Amino acid sequence: MFRPKHHWQPAEQQRHAVAGTLPTGRRHRDGESVDAFCERTVSTAGHTELDWLWPTCPDCLRAAERLNGIPS
């Protein structure tokens, strides 16, 4: 079974990939700084359904694909 080595987090108007997985029920605090795969430190956003509709950061997507052995 495929298990990603990262999780996705809404931050700064995009969905960013962040290293590691979050246990079920855990989430980042609003405004918490996280290091994203795009090599930026971003401030996390709220946890509304609309936040998850933001576009995916293209640099994070490419890095997540490489990390997980997914050809782009």
Side-chain angles (χ1 to χ4, degrees):
M1 180 171 155
F2 175 74
R3 295 197 188 276
K5 300 169 184 164
H6 66 283
H7 62 280
W8 292 93
Q9 175 63 47
E12 300 181 4
Q13 305 294 309
Q14 291 185 316
R15 291 179 297 129
H16 290 273
V18 178
T21 57
L22 289 174
T24 302
R26 168 116 174 16
R27 65 184 201 180
H28 294 285
R29 296 180 315 279
D30 292 352
E32 180 178 348
S33 293
V34 295
D35 295 324
F37 282 12
C38 61
E39 299 182 0
R40 293 179 28 220
T41 299
V42 295
S43 295
T44 61
H47 300 279
T48 69
E49 290 179 17
L50 293 178
D51 297 333
W52 291 101
L53 297 177
W54 289 345
T56 300
C57 170
D59 294 331
C60 282
L61 180 58
R62 282 189 293 279
E65 289 172 339
R66 280 192 307 272
L67 177 69
N68 290 289
I70 300 169
S72 40

